[in-house]
Amino acid sequence: MNKNRESNNSIPEDHPRYQSLTYRHKIIEGMKNLIVAEAGLMAHGRGETFDYIMGERTNKPAKKAIEAAIAVFLLAKHPIISVNGNVAALVPDELVEFSKVIKAPLEINLFYRKEGRIEAIKRVLKNSGAKKLLGTKENKMVEIEELSSNRRKVDPDGIKKADLVFIPLEDGDRTEALKKIGKQVITVDLNPISRTALWADITIVDNIIRTLPLMIKKARKLKELSQDELQSILENFNNKKNIQESLDLIIKYIETQKTEAFK
Ligand code: PTJ
């Protein structure tokens, strides 16, 4: 194989940051196709920064949070997966597969409701094999009063009636609102001190591109467990402590880089 072969997005496959640049390209393409909001580019950049200072790998606290998250999913009566533009652009196949394995529907829920975005996201998820999508019929939507952003518009058969809402890569105020109306919340957020990360019941501090495949694997495994066994996973999980462990890893990584990077 020609080591310098370029893929169709002009990124040489032997580039040391090939994977990161490929996902960056997906976000850019997604923005051109209306899947991703303009602000989604900045959100992605912020995520990259946190990923960088955690060594760009799924750390132990993230693995613990993934296990707890799957236990919560399997114990929930009406779980739902909320999909925004960035997630749809980065991991559409994995979203659809996870939805099938964990038996939770996908609901498109956007902060920036620009004309054509719902259709664009619907298209990408259908191409990945989604059969049923919630949040796509404007005249059917109801509102969550506690929320003033566009995210207040939800599907009555999805987020509205859910007891558990999975909100990966989320902006500030929704987690707080969802908690106030009694929902359980799971998030994936590379920023361990974002408002969403701090308010969620389970915070997976990791990159969604690594997390979702691991969640699918874990779901297949934990499906075999009894309700009591799932409960005991939760009893041994402390979200606050887990976030603090992620922060410790960042501190440790930077401390190490302080010497390693200059060798
Ligand atoms: O598609 P829309 O209209 O619903 O809008 C989606 C965005 C992401 C633009 C919107 O929700 C937003 O502005 O979000 P924020 O406030 O930028 O927060 C997104 C969070 O996700 C930040 O804390 C980022 O660090 C984090 N993040 C970004 N990329 C990743 C990530 N976390 C995990 N994996 C990533 N790949």
Side-chain angles (χ1 to χ4, degrees):
M1 189 179 80
N2 175 3
K3 280 198 84 192
N4 288 318
R5 186 160 62 94
E6 291 189 359
S7 61
N8 58 7
N9 57 20
S10 303
I11 306 164
E13 285 177 18
D14 61 350
H15 191 288
R17 301 205 49 76
Y18 178 76
Q19 206 205 28
S20 170
L21 294 179
T22 301
Y23 281 102
R24 199 179 261 195
H25 190 82
K26 282 188 188 202
I27 289 285
I28 295 168
E29 278 304 305
M31 193 203 69
K32 289 183 190 158
N33 299 333
L34 288 178
I35 296 161
V36 174
E38 282 92 342
L41 267 69
M42 284 160 240
H44 187 77
R46 181 185 295 178
E48 280 184 346
T49 311
F50 279 101
D51 208 11
Y52 211 96
I53 58 171
M54 276 188 288
E56 293 177 303
R57 57 175 175 260
T58 304
N59 294 302
K60 210 167 143 203
K63 287 182 189 159
K64 270 199 274 175
I66 287 172
E67 183 176 56
I70 298 302
V72 174
F73 255 111
L74 293 171
L75 288 166
K77 285 198 170 55
H78 297 291
I80 184 100
I81 302 164
S82 180
V83 180
N84 69 20
N86 284 47
V87 180
L90 292 171
V91 280
D93 294 350
E94 292 84 350
L95 275 174
V96 173
E97 195 179 348
F98 182 60
S99 160
K100 284 179 189 158
V101 174
I102 206 78
K103 293 193 172 37
L106 298 165
E107 174 167 342
I108 301 173
N109 179 278
L110 303 180
F111 188 84
Y112 299 100
R113 287 176 76 90
K114 189 173 173 180
E115 175 99 39
R117 284 197 67 210
I118 298 253
E119 285 310 309
I121 294 171
K122 199 170 145 183
R123 231 176 356 256
V124 79
L125 293 174
K126 292 258 173 190
N127 284 343
S128 291
K131 296 275 177 283
K132 192 180 160 201
L133 288 171
L134 300 173
T136 58
K137 297 195 177 87
E138 195 60 44
N139 56 1
K140 198 185 149 200
M141 305 293 262
V142 294
E143 296 198 352
I144 292 180
E145 276 175 33
E146 287 74 5
L147 202 52
S148 51
S149 77
N150 281 325
R151 292 207 191 277
R152 72 186 182 281
K153 294 182 186 171
V154 296
D155 197 305
D157 297 323
I159 292 170
K160 180 70 182 174
K161 82 164 189 198
D163 54 346
L164 166 66
V165 193
F166 179 39
I167 49 169
L169 280 65
E170 180 80 16
D171 42 271
D173 56 348
R174 181 157 70 140
T175 316
E176 200 173 332
L178 291 175
K179 290 299 304 163
K180 278 187 186 150
I181 56 172
K183 317 253 185 216
Q184 282 193 288
V185 176
I186 297 173
T187 192
V188 178
D189 194 333
L190 277 160
N191 177 0
I193 48 171
S194 74
R195 292 203 313 136
T196 300
L198 297 177
W199 268 90
D201 296 283
I202 307 226
T203 307
I204 304 166
V205 182
D206 192 24
N207 196 323
I208 190 74
I209 63 170
R210 293 188 300 265
T211 308
L212 260 190
L214 293 175
M215 289 179 85
I216 294 166
K217 246 186 176 170
K218 193 54 95 180
R220 291 207 167 102
K221 203 164 161 207
L222 296 197
K223 262 176 158 183
E224 311 297 326
L225 299 191
S226 68
Q227 302 259 315
D228 284 351
E229 285 168 316
L230 294 172
Q231 278 296 353
S232 90
I233 291 177
L234 293 183
E235 277 153 27
N236 288 311
F237 180 77
N238 179 329
N239 202 45
K240 184 178 157 200
K241 213 171 133 243
N242 212 51
I243 293 174
Q244 285 170 333
E245 280 176 31
S246 297
L247 288 167
D248 283 339
L249 285 174
I250 293 177
I251 295 165
K252 201 171 149 205
Y253 187 76
I254 291 177
E255 282 289 347
T256 311
Q257 290 305 310
K258 209 169 121 187
T259 44
E260 290 294 313
F262 296 98
K263 270 188 178 161

